[in-house]
Amino acid sequence: MFPWLTILGLLPLIGGLAMIFVRGTAAKQVGLAFSLVTLVLAIIVAFTYNTGTKGFQLAEQATWIKAIGAHYALGLDGIGLTLVLLTAFLTPVVLIASWNDPDLPKPGEPVSPDGTAVTHRWGAHAFVGLILATEGFALFAFTATDVFLFYLFFEVILFPMYFLIGGFGGARRAYAAGKFLLFGLFGGFVMLAAVIGLGIVSAQHGAPSYLLTDLTQLHLSTNVERWLFVGFMIAFAIKAPMVPFHTWLPDSVEQSTPGGAVMLAGVMDKLGTFAMIRFCLQLFPDASKWATPVVMVLAIISIIYGALMAIGSKDLHRLIGWTSVSHFGFIVLGIFAFTTQSASGATFYMLNHGLSTAALFLAAGFMIKRRGSRDISDFGGVVKATPLLAGLLLFGALSALALPGMSSFISEFMVLAGTFSRHPIYAVVATIGIVLAALYALIMYQRTATGVPTAAVTEKFTVDLSGKERLALIPVALVILVLGFFPKPILSIINPTVSDTLTQHVGLTDPQPHASEGGR
Amino acid sequence: MDPQAYIVMSAILFSIALLGVMIRRNVLIVFMCIELMLNASNLALVTFSRMHGSLDGQIAAFFVMVVAAAEVVVGLAIIVTIYRTRRSASVDDANLLKF
Amino acid sequence: MIVPLVTGASFAFWMLMPVMILGALGTILARKPVHSALSLAAVMVSLAVQYAAQQAPFLFAVQIIVYTGAILMLFLFVMMIVGVDTSESLVETIKGQRVLAILAALGFFILLIFAVGNALVGRPTGLAQANNANGGNVQGLAALIFGRYVVAFEATSALLITAALGAMVLAHRERTRKKKTQAELVTERLRKYAETGAHPGALPPPGVYARHNAVDTPALLANGEIAEVSVSSTLRQRGSVQNPADLIAPTKQTVQAIAPDRAENPATAVASYVPHPATPARGIQPELEPGESEEEN
Amino acid sequence: MTPLEVTQATGLFSLSWLLIAIPGVIAALLLVAGKVSNPWGHILATLAPIASFVLALLLFLQLLGRGVGDRSVNLKLYDWIAVGNWHIEAGLQIDQLSIIFALLITSVGSLIHIYSIGYMAHDPNRRRFFAYLNLFIAAMLLLVLANNYFALFVGWEGVGLASYLLIGFWQDRPTAATAAKKAFVVNRVGDLGMSVGIAFMLYLFGSVQFSDVNAGAANMTFTQATILGLLLLLGACGKSAQVPLQSWLLDAMEGPTPVSALIHAATMVTAGVYLIVRSHAIFAQTETAALVVSIIGTVTLLAGAWIGCSKDDIKKVLAGSTMSQIGYMMLAAGIGPAGYAFAIFHLVNHGFFKANMFLGAGSVMHATDDDVNMRHYGALRKALPITFVTFGMGYLAIIGFPFLSGYFSKDHIVEAAFDRSWILGVLALIGAGVTAFYMTRLMIMTWFGRDRYADGVHPHESPLIMTVPLILLAIGSVFAGLLLNDWIGGWLDPAVGGQSGHSGIFDFSLIGGITLPVVAIGVVIAILIFGRGRQIPVEQPASRSPFTLAGRNDLYGDAINEAVFMRPGIGLVEGVTKTDTGGVDGAILGVSGIIAGVGARLRRWQSGFVRSYALTMIAGAFLVGIVVVLGRLA
């Protein structure tokens, strides 16, 4: 069988390695070419995917470390495919949008995101290489069907991201990158303990194996299952990130370049929520049910807390980072409500969050690049000077607040309504988040874009979006709109896998309509 | 002859050399103590070789000697270099690699 | 088979055991590195004997040739470069180091006895069979080295070459400045002479006398002083320079012997060997006291 | 009540998606095409609602030709969300109710588009304005044509977005931007009710299709029905600016006047009424929720009238009036089967006369250099004769002058209110009187008396392109009542489960007899206070009257919002921010600080003395060895 998934993951990694040999513009072109080929490949893979078949498709498997039962095993299910498509789509977008970012700072030139005289540590080739490495590792992580293999990529993706923040960020990038890495590693080590524990349990039941298909057959005792669940869940909650493990995210995205922030919040963080569905629910269904109240309360706290912090943010990047905390709350809420709709919605939300965050970060990034400051109070009246840019910022903001017609609305609605059918009270409390979302999105837009242009804005916002900037943003906006009105292609991919997970593993069926006779 | 005696002898020599490494400051003496440790282990290896009636122990001892020779060459060269730059043969003086 | 009460091996062992322990202690306790090295040599030779006693004739030879012959000699050479002024005080500078070191070494010794010593139970198999399989110990070792262990053996060759190269690289001093020409050297030397009065010419060679002609013998100046710079500073620091008084003593005797003639023949009288009052500061004052010359012989 | 027969769309009906698609596509085209479309964009945009209107008219005629039970046509376009047991489709429902709305929206919308060509002629962003207007038309049509609550909600938010964009159209005005944001956020509070309500429907029925909900409604318990009803009411309150979510509407007047006419008078703000009427099956199960609807309507009716009495800004008077008139509709909708048809009837009439008056006000502003203060008007009837006449028609219609449109619908509502409860009836009656009072005040201050406009202002009649829509709307204001009065009840009743005891034109009831005198009293009082011979100060006179002050301050709606939500909200945000930096992040930084401190101590161990290291290493080896040996022994 043709190893589609291996090639899919390897392509960007090879592209990243190729950056050793090229420099400057050539590096960007080569990197973009690799990411586009990856995108094409991902689309081909998506077309070969059969929504009717259960289990993993395009599976590859080879024994890797026999003694501990680790395999090199890749496979694709609906959830993984969705995120593969997201990753493959966002990378070229990021590369195009950041085309000039890594070039900007010649020594001493004050052009870093926060206007201080910080120069990038390396050139464009390093930036492109790290972005591609992030993509490759993410693709492998989304397709890994072996817990050990997944863990490997779950951890290793921290490193390109670390260098993206630390090498290309703002004035406090060293602090941010360090915080990012420490949080990630801490979660990783907690998870490692659980992974080892899982391996030991597996070995007690016969030949050790980390294959997902083997592990789901294990019968764990209640205590063991809960402990392992907690170990995995902490790692995923840090990566996702959920309150109270969230503090690294605002700092990290604040200091990142817009492109880096998209890869961070749009792609890498998805590993956490993705893994919750893939591993927590499939491997530890009973423990997941046991933990539901705590996780859901934390999710709701994340939703409201993140939104409040976003309202109070004075820094554009930070604000968007906080909105992500809020959105991840929705995703986790949907996953742990255990209804087909909410979990499908949560998965779809992962995709949409990636898209809307990308739109927001990139549009905000274009503004920051022009203004030379991330401070919201430094803007004002941008719409007068550069209407298209402001319009797309508004588009991103509306997507973040889940306006109907945007794809994010579909997912948010599915999460809320799906949650409602099992836990009405939680859903109602979570709904407050949509009002707060309107506040943070529109306050941000109002303060930056409307009003009389300030002197600095008139002086610096002389050109509206360039061709490359349009090329990066408009496809994202289009996809958001199309999926908002016609989400079927993605939902039909997600839904079978999610309902399979819920019925086969968690063992819960959707609640029936409560006023009988009413349903179809 | 009881091999235990050789082993005890080897242990005595090894421990004395160990003590030397810890209490002496002259880099040459420290280095000689290391050689002494290698010799002590060689004695143990030869003893084991006889004990088990296999020549592999002697081969091991032989390789230890080869490695020791190489080690001494490089080690002494390093000592000379350090001495040239620091004008001291005390290991306590080479203490820059610290907190 | 009756075991003889005392075999050659046990005789060698019990005879050499105190030598080895004392030698090892000497290695770590001697003030001067040279003494340490010699103590170590004693240990190594004794060890060689133990190898011989344990049916390892090849290692016996190699131990003496490689260790005692090559490695220790290398140590001694380096000691000549490095170790001259390194006779250290045995006062410990790190707090608590000595006590703790002794405790640790003792603990380790006990551990070794318990751990390794218990590994040997029963009578030794002996190497007679293994040695005879290939017609001798050396042949047996050769069969193993070029057979089972050939890869490791080849690796050691790489190791040795690397080590040799490494030593050369380390010992090689990279020239950081252009090499000075003779003309420059002379200019420099003369400038120094003009500025500080340093002697521009060659240093005086050591003294050559009827009874002393070694490098540790300073030359005598015309006025009877000794020329300090004629002896290597290494030797001077080591304190192994000949006592100038001894060197002067024969001359003194000669002078005394011919003193009567001198009185009759003032014309041939030589100048007084008593130092000139304006002795250069750097000169070593020979102590000429009448009693000293008697003690020498 | 039998569920409606829903027939699948065939023929012309299968094209009904074009109603929405035409303006939607043109909106997108104008936004994407950018400056290229500046010269012709507004023309194209104006054609869009006209095309939709023609199509809607054709559909209406088709429906007329069908039998009574055959008039609800369902058109499924595709599955929107088909997950688990949900089948939420993108589908349209053309029935008696939605087609009336479609006609109202497209007709008034077309006229306002035409009017805007003139009104916005000098605005550099006219193309963008028209694109937003088309976006609004598309979203509004989606709202009323949807066959399920989900699609309705999408339209619901779409009109909210269009409203946001159009209120804040002059984005360089901070007040406009703030008003836009306020409108959106307050609406979001209503949306919260909508979202939870739709989720609740899925919880109850597993479907959001109108037909399914109507069919299943009878199975709800009373509590469920009440909760669902109140949730929908919350949504309706937000969109229709009903108390307590009324505060955004007055600020929304920051937008261009055609926007106020189209969105904030004729169509969007009435969506709440549509929602209630559309959800008649739910309210049929819960007296309580229906009563709350009526009460909210009555309260808003009076509050809007009160505000209308005390404002000097012509648009704000009209906005207060809009609130008030929608209050009437809500009151009617809350009455139940007897009131639904009247609510819609009044809604249609209101759409005509209020659009007419707003556009008239726009014409006045156009003439007076965008001055909105009525104290700066006066005697404009000579300068703007056409506008005066059309505005007068609207005035007569709203106060309920006999045989004009407002007369019929308002009378019906007051009558129905008396049937429901005499308290509601009396309050509605008072509202009618007050309406007459403030509208007369507006008329006098604007059109009669002495001219008070500032120097340099030379009022002039608007161009034809603006007056023709005014004339058409005035005709609508005058004749809509007469035309529809006999017909609309019978037309709508099957769709809304109504039982309107509709009456003929000359069917005077006792209540109808009382209403007219009340209105007349209102008019007379206004003439006495502001009429001939009375000086109207150019500056607003200071007033001590708590009634006037309250009215001028929008009944302290903003103050209440500020005290109850904004200040605690800001406090909460600050508190959370402090907690995060001090508490959560602080705890983490504290832990890292402790670790760093311990590390700083520990690294002293790294003394640089090789011999110490050797000692440590040997001691360590010793300890490990001991553990191993003891492990063996144990």
Side-chain angles (χ1 to χ4, degrees):
Chain A
M1 229 189 90
F2 191 69
W4 285 104
L5 298 179
T6 305
I7 290 177
L8 186 67
L10 272 182
L11 254 179
L13 291 182
I14 293 169
L17 282 180
M19 292 304 126
I20 298 171
F21 307 107
V22 281
R23 290 289 181 273
T25 312
K28 295 181 222 163
Q29 286 160 348
V30 172
L32 184 60
F34 268 99
S35 70
L36 286 175
V37 174
T38 312
L39 175 59
V40 169
L41 199 64
I43 290 170
I44 294 174
V45 165
F47 274 107
T48 62
Y49 185 82
N50 182 357
T51 54
T53 323
K54 285 191 176 182
F56 294 111
Q57 302 185 18
L58 296 175
E60 298 165 31
Q61 187 175 326
T63 308
W64 175 24
I65 308 174
K66 196 158 189 185
I68 59 168
H71 294 74
Y72 175 79
L74 302 179
L76 209 54
D77 63 3
I79 305 169
L81 176 60
T82 311
L83 294 169
V84 163
L85 286 174
L86 172 70
T87 310
F89 175 65
L90 282 186
T91 310
V93 167
V94 163
L95 286 179
I96 295 171
S98 321
W99 199 259
N100 294 322
D101 277 5
D103 294 342
L104 282 174
K106 309 202 167 52
E109 201 177 337
V111 279
S112 78
D114 42 7
T116 48
V118 177
T119 53
H120 295 333
R121 200 173 286 271
W122 307 290
H125 61 285
F127 184 82
V128 175
L130 291 169
I131 293 274
L132 287 176
T134 311
E135 181 190 17
F137 292 143
L139 288 174
F140 271 120
F142 288 135
T143 50
T145 56
D146 179 286
V147 175
F148 195 82
L149 190 70
F150 172 80
Y151 174 75
L152 184 81
F153 291 111
F154 185 82
E155 281 296 274
V156 82
I157 199 171
L158 291 174
F159 293 93
M161 211 60 237
Y162 170 77
F163 290 114
L164 271 178
I165 301 169
F168 299 90
R172 286 171 71 237
R173 63 188 178 192
Y175 168 77
K179 198 169 181 178
F180 164 80
L181 192 67
L182 286 179
F183 267 84
L185 288 179
F186 173 75
F189 291 141
V190 175
M191 184 178 165
L192 179 62
V195 167
I196 291 171
L198 194 61
I200 290 169
V201 176
S202 154
Q204 283 166 354
H205 288 71
S209 167
Y210 273 115
L211 276 183
L212 204 54
T213 42
D214 293 339
L215 288 174
T216 49
Q217 310 297 326
L218 286 182
H219 295 288
L220 303 170
S221 75
T222 311
N223 262 330
V224 170
E225 187 181 340
R226 287 180 184 175
W227 277 111
L228 292 178
F229 169 81
V230 169
F232 276 80
M233 192 64 195
I234 286 178
F236 300 155
I238 289 177
K239 184 91 63 167
M242 281 170 77
V243 174
F245 304 114
H246 61 278
T247 61
W248 62 270
L249 183 74
D251 283 327
S252 303
V253 295
E254 178 190 321
Q255 295 300 323
S256 300
T257 55
V262 172
M263 292 310 276
L264 176 68
V267 175
M268 199 204 80
D269 282 358
K270 299 297 179 308
L271 281 177
T273 45
F274 163 77
M276 283 182 203
I277 297 191
R278 171 71 68 79
F279 299 106
C280 284
L281 260 53
Q282 295 204 3
L283 297 180
F284 318 113
D286 295 323
S288 302
K289 277 182 267 185
W290 162 74
T292 301
V294 177
V295 176
M296 288 188 88
V297 166
L298 283 180
I300 287 173
I301 292 176
S302 296
I303 293 171
I304 294 179
Y305 191 95
L308 287 174
M309 290 299 293
I311 294 172
S313 292
K314 296 174 177 62
D315 179 293
L316 263 178
H317 268 194
R318 215 176 164 77
L319 187 147
I320 304 171
W322 281 115
T323 68
S324 293
V325 173
S326 184
H327 289 162
F328 277 111
F330 277 109
I331 297 176
V332 175
L333 186 75
I335 293 173
F336 279 83
F338 299 132
T339 62
T340 318
Q341 295 87 7
S342 70
S344 300
T347 311
F348 193 36
Y349 210 133
M350 291 183 215
L351 175 74
N352 297 328
H353 172 256
L355 295 171
S356 65
T357 311
L360 259 186
F361 265 127
L362 297 182
F366 297 152
M367 285 174 43
I368 291 164
K369 197 159 64 183
R370 284 170 171 74
R371 178 65 181 84
S373 162
R374 288 196 313 260
D375 218 330
I376 292 177
S377 57
D378 283 343
F379 294 89
V382 171
V383 70
K384 199 90 177 169
T386 52
L388 187 57
L389 174 54
L392 283 168
L393 180 76
L394 179 63
F395 188 91
L398 293 174
S399 175
L401 67 79
L403 187 86
M406 312 277 183
S407 57
S408 46
F409 167 70
I410 304 280
S411 46
E412 194 166 291
F413 176 79
M414 285 170 73
V415 166
L416 286 175
T419 307
F420 192 94
S421 62
R422 206 185 287 284
H423 306 283
I425 304 294
Y426 288 136
V428 170
V429 179
T431 313
I432 296 173
I434 70 169
V435 179
L436 298 177
L439 273 173
Y440 64 63
L442 296 184
I443 288 178
M444 186 264 288
Y445 178 73
Q446 186 195 349
R447 294 204 178 141
T448 53
T450 66
V452 182
T454 60
V457 166
T458 342
E459 178 196 332
K460 293 183 175 170
F461 283 68
T462 47
V463 276
D464 211 336
L465 288 186
S466 70
K468 284 204 186 69
E469 289 170 334
R470 283 178 211 208
L471 192 60
L473 262 183
I474 288 175
V476 179
L478 271 184
V479 173
I480 290 177
L481 268 185
V482 168
L483 289 183
F485 282 98
F486 197 62
K488 196 176 174 183
I490 299 290
L491 284 181
S492 62
I493 290 174
I494 295 172
N495 190 30
T497 308
V498 167
S499 57
D500 198 40
T501 304
L502 289 178
T503 51
Q504 299 285 308
H505 299 290
V506 183
L508 285 175
T509 48
D510 294 340
Q512 284 305 304
H514 290 68
S516 47
E517 290 180 48
R520 291 186 161 201
Chain B
M1 180 62 213
D2 186 6
Q4 292 241 6
Y6 289 105
I7 294 301
V8 173
M9 188 66 230
S10 156
I12 292 172
L13 290 180
F14 194 89
S15 303
I16 290 174
L18 216 51
L19 185 63
V21 168
M22 286 186 283
I23 62 171
R24 291 312 297 262
R25 270 169 296 179
N26 188 312
V27 64
L28 283 168
I29 296 179
V30 171
F31 207 27
M32 284 190 276
C33 287
I34 291 170
E35 292 304 313
L36 186 53
M37 279 193 245
L38 289 172
N39 270 298
S41 50
N42 271 358
L43 178 58
L45 285 172
V46 170
T47 310
F48 286 132
S49 169
R50 182 167 73 93
M51 177 75 198
H52 298 293
S54 150
L55 285 176
D56 296 84
Q58 293 191 10
I59 295 284
F62 170 70
F63 280 127
V64 169
M65 284 180 193
V66 176
V67 172
E71 174 222 342
V72 163
V73 169
V74 178
L76 287 176
I78 292 172
I79 288 173
V80 169
T81 315
I82 292 176
Y83 183 78
R84 258 191 217 148
T85 53
R86 303 185 70 88
R87 287 278 142 206
S88 159
S90 166
V91 288
D92 283 5
D93 288 344
N95 66 348
L96 281 183
L97 194 65
K98 61 179 175 184
F99 54 85
Chain C
M1 188 180 146
I2 298 165
V3 182
L5 205 60
V6 175
T7 59
S10 47
F11 180 78
F13 181 81
W14 294 113
M15 285 300 290
L16 290 177
M17 187 191 79
V19 175
M20 286 195 283
I21 292 179
L22 287 178
L25 287 175
T27 308
I28 69 163
L29 294 179
R31 283 173 75 92
K32 291 192 174 181
V34 181
H35 299 163
S36 285
L38 292 177
S39 308
L40 188 59
V43 179
M44 284 175 171
V45 172
S46 310
L47 275 173
V49 175
Q50 303 305 329
Y51 295 164
Q54 296 202 69
Q55 295 163 298
F58 179 68
L59 285 182
F60 161 75
V62 172
Q63 170 81 1
I64 290 184
I65 294 167
V66 173
Y67 260 118
T68 329
I71 295 182
L72 266 178
M73 287 312 112
L74 201 56
F75 267 100
L76 288 175
F77 279 125
V78 171
M79 230 166 269
M80 285 178 204
I81 305 171
V82 171
V84 181
D85 55 344
T86 51
S87 137
E88 64 182 47
S89 76
L90 290 176
V91 179
E92 184 53 62
T93 48
I94 305 176
K95 210 171 101 187
Q97 172 82 5
R98 194 166 284 176
V99 178
L100 287 174
I102 290 169
L103 281 178
L106 212 61
F108 207 83
F109 172 69
I110 294 165
L111 188 73
L112 279 181
I113 296 297
F114 270 98
V116 187
N118 282 339
L120 298 179
V121 181
R123 295 200 48 75
T125 317
L127 282 167
Q129 196 191 345
N131 274 344
N132 294 334
N134 287 298
N137 177 257
V138 179
Q139 286 86 341
L141 285 178
L144 275 177
I145 286 175
F146 297 106
R148 193 191 303 167
Y149 296 108
V150 69
V151 177
F153 183 70
E154 291 298 333
T156 56
S157 69
L159 176 71
L160 286 171
I161 289 171
T162 316
L165 271 175
M168 281 197 284
V169 168
L170 282 171
H172 176 70
R173 221 189 296 203
E174 198 64 43
R175 185 176 291 282
T176 53
R177 261 169 285 186
K178 194 168 76 74
K179 191 181 179 187
K180 283 172 183 159
T181 60
Q182 290 227 326
E184 281 168 345
L185 284 172
V186 168
T187 319
E188 192 177 302
R189 210 177 283 172
L190 284 174
R191 185 184 298 120
K192 208 170 268 175
Y193 173 65
E195 284 165 0
T196 64
H199 183 59
L203 293 174
V208 178
Y209 308 99
R211 282 186 288 172
H212 298 277
N213 62 350
V215 287
D216 62 347
T217 312
L220 284 180
L221 294 175
N223 59 359
E225 296 170 40
I226 63 160
E228 181 212 12
V229 287
S230 61
V231 180
S232 155
S233 62
T234 308
L235 294 176
R236 255 191 342 254
Q237 283 187 358
R238 200 189 273 167
S240 51
V241 179
Q242 289 286 326
N243 188 352
D246 299 346
L247 298 175
I248 297 169
T251 319
K252 196 173 153 190
Q253 286 169 355
T254 314
V255 169
Q256 276 173 352
I258 59 169
D261 297 345
R262 233 179 113 206
E264 294 160 12
N265 243 349
T268 58
V270 290
S272 166
Y273 55 80
V274 178
H276 195 269
T279 308
R282 282 182 293 154
I284 295 174
Q285 196 75 35
E287 291 165 55
L288 298 177
E289 272 168 36
E292 270 190 0
S293 55
E294 255 79 37
E295 282 173 28
E296 179 60 23
N297 294 337
Chain D
M1 186 169 49
T2 50
L4 286 167
E5 288 293 318
V6 177
T7 49
Q8 287 307 312
T10 48
L12 191 60
F13 286 101
S14 54
L15 290 178
S16 49
W17 55 272
L18 279 174
L19 278 173
I20 302 167
I22 293 170
V25 167
I26 290 179
L29 180 73
L30 293 189
L31 285 176
V32 172
K35 294 195 183 92
V36 182
S37 55
N38 268 352
W40 42 266
H42 52 283
I43 309 283
L44 186 66
T46 308
L47 290 176
I50 293 175
S52 290
F53 174 70
V54 171
L55 185 56
L57 200 60
L58 290 175
L59 292 174
F60 175 64
L61 294 175
Q62 294 247 324
L63 278 188
L64 271 182
R66 292 187 170 207
V68 174
D70 205 20
R71 283 178 178 158
S72 183
V73 181
N74 202 45
L75 172 62
K76 180 183 170 181
L77 298 175
Y78 55 88
D79 271 331
W80 207 324
I81 303 177
V83 169
N85 50 14
W86 291 3
H87 295 279
I88 298 175
E89 59 185 45
L92 304 181
Q93 178 171 330
I94 321 284
D95 65 0
Q96 297 95 323
L97 181 60
S98 57
I99 198 70
I100 288 212
F101 266 89
L103 284 171
L104 174 73
I105 293 159
T106 48
S107 58
V108 175
S110 304
L111 294 175
I112 291 177
H113 271 75
I114 295 167
Y115 176 90
S116 304
I117 295 176
Y119 190 84
M120 300 298 284
H122 305 296
D123 196 290
N125 291 319
R126 180 165 69 169
R127 169 189 52 85
R128 197 152 55 82
F129 178 81
F130 275 91
Y132 291 163
L133 275 188
N134 268 7
L135 174 66
F136 169 78
I137 296 283
M140 190 70 204
L141 285 171
L142 175 61
L143 194 163
V144 297
L145 290 175
N147 71 352
N148 63 67
Y149 283 96
F150 183 81
L152 181 149
F153 188 50
V154 174
W156 185 270
E157 288 280 311
V159 293
L161 170 68
S163 157
Y164 170 79
L165 292 171
L166 285 166
I167 296 172
F169 182 72
W170 289 310
Q171 284 173 309
D172 47 348
R173 293 185 191 168
T175 47
T178 311
K181 184 190 70 188
K182 183 177 175 183
F184 198 94
V185 172
V186 174
N187 266 303
R188 268 263 145 166
V189 177
D191 295 345
L192 195 149
M194 277 292 276
S195 304
V196 177
I198 295 173
F200 196 38
M201 282 177 202
L202 285 165
Y203 172 85
L204 289 172
F205 314 117
S207 168
V208 289
Q209 204 89 354
F210 292 147
S211 50
D212 294 334
V213 173
N214 288 350
N219 299 320
M220 286 189 290
T221 64
F222 177 74
T223 322
Q224 287 171 342
T226 308
I227 293 173
L228 185 53
L230 291 179
L231 287 170
L232 293 177
L233 175 62
L234 181 60
C237 282
K239 196 60 66 186
S240 293
Q242 299 294 293
V243 175
L245 300 179
Q246 83 290 358
S247 62
W248 63 271
L249 183 62
L250 292 164
D251 290 357
M253 296 301 131
E254 287 288 341
T257 307
V259 172
S260 309
L262 178 61
I263 300 183
H264 304 121
T267 54
M268 184 191 86
V269 285
T270 58
V273 180
Y274 171 79
L275 179 70
I276 304 285
V277 174
R278 189 48 103 183
S279 313
H280 59 88
I282 294 162
F283 287 96
Q285 304 298 317
T286 162
E287 282 283 298
T288 314
L291 183 63
V292 174
V293 173
S294 287
I295 293 172
I296 295 267
T298 313
V299 169
T300 313
L301 175 173
L302 294 170
W306 187 349
I307 292 170
C309 292
S310 48
K311 289 284 183 186
D312 290 333
D313 180 329
I314 186 169
K315 286 181 72 179
K316 294 207 168 170
V317 174
L318 289 174
S321 155
T322 304
M323 271 171 67
S324 174
Q325 298 303 312
I326 296 170
Y328 273 109
M329 300 169 209
M330 292 295 259
L331 166 62
I335 288 169
Y340 291 138
F342 301 143
I344 302 301
F345 185 24
H346 193 55
L347 191 155
V348 174
N349 291 341
H350 174 257
F352 282 111
F353 62 66
K354 192 50 73 56
N356 173 18
M357 283 195 284
F358 259 114
L359 294 187
S363 179
V364 170
M365 286 161 60
H366 194 73
T368 56
D369 288 359
D370 286 335
D371 196 339
V372 290
N373 193 337
M374 295 193 296
R375 291 182 186 277
H376 302 163
Y377 295 163
L380 286 172
R381 67 180 186 281
K382 289 164 203 138
L384 294 91
I386 303 174
T387 311
F388 169 63
V389 172
T390 59
F391 200 98
M393 296 295 129
Y395 161 73
L396 293 177
I398 193 175
I399 65 169
F401 193 80
F403 310 117
L404 269 67
S405 59
Y407 165 75
F408 295 103
S409 49
K410 201 184 284 180
D411 263 14
H412 290 320
I413 292 174
V414 174
E415 221 170 299
F418 267 107
D419 284 346
R420 180 79 174 81
S421 146
W422 66 269
I423 302 177
L424 292 179
V426 168
L427 292 177
L429 202 56
I430 295 173
V434 179
T435 305
F437 168 76
Y438 68 74
M439 285 312 297
T440 313
R441 170 175 175 264
L442 185 151
M443 282 301 282
I444 295 171
M445 285 175 82
T446 308
W447 303 105
F448 299 98
R450 200 171 48 79
D451 66 90
R452 298 180 299 278
Y453 29 87
D455 299 337
V457 173
H458 304 290
H460 51 89
E461 184 56 275
S462 301
L464 215 55
I465 199 153
M466 287 166 68
T467 48
V468 168
L470 284 178
I471 294 165
L472 291 175
L473 284 170
I475 293 171
S477 313
V478 172
F479 295 108
L482 267 176
L483 279 177
L484 299 177
N485 186 36
D486 271 352
W487 169 81
I488 193 159
W491 171 259
L492 279 177
D493 278 350
V496 298
Q499 303 154 4
S500 51
H502 60 86
S503 44
I505 300 172
F506 299 104
D507 178 14
F508 293 111
S509 62
L510 177 68
I511 305 299
I514 299 173
T515 315
L516 268 183
V518 171
V519 168
I521 292 168
V523 173
V524 167
I525 293 176
I527 292 174
L528 287 178
I529 296 178
F530 303 101
R532 201 174 292 275
R534 296 276 172 169
Q535 286 299 320
I536 294 167
V538 175
E539 291 303 315
Q540 188 180 50
S543 171
R544 290 251 193 83
S545 153
F547 287 100
T548 316
L549 283 179
R552 283 180 187 167
N553 288 305
D554 308 344
L555 301 183
Y556 302 109
D558 287 341
I560 291 168
N561 283 348
E562 199 166 302
V564 178
F565 298 108
M566 235 172 87
R567 292 238 186 76
I570 292 172
L572 186 65
V573 167
E574 278 169 2
V576 169
T577 310
K578 275 203 190 105
T579 316
D580 193 70
T581 47
V584 184
D585 210 24
I588 282 154
L589 289 180
V591 169
S592 73
I594 289 168
I595 291 171
V598 171
R601 297 281 175 287
L602 275 181
R603 71 193 185 129
R604 295 275 153 195
W605 192 269
Q606 209 75 7
S607 60
F609 292 118
V610 179
R611 298 185 297 136
S612 291
Y613 301 163
L615 176 60
T616 315
M617 199 174 87
I618 290 159
F622 169 66
L623 287 177
V624 170
I626 288 288
V627 169
V628 170
V629 170
L630 289 182
R632 279 286 152 75
L633 293 179

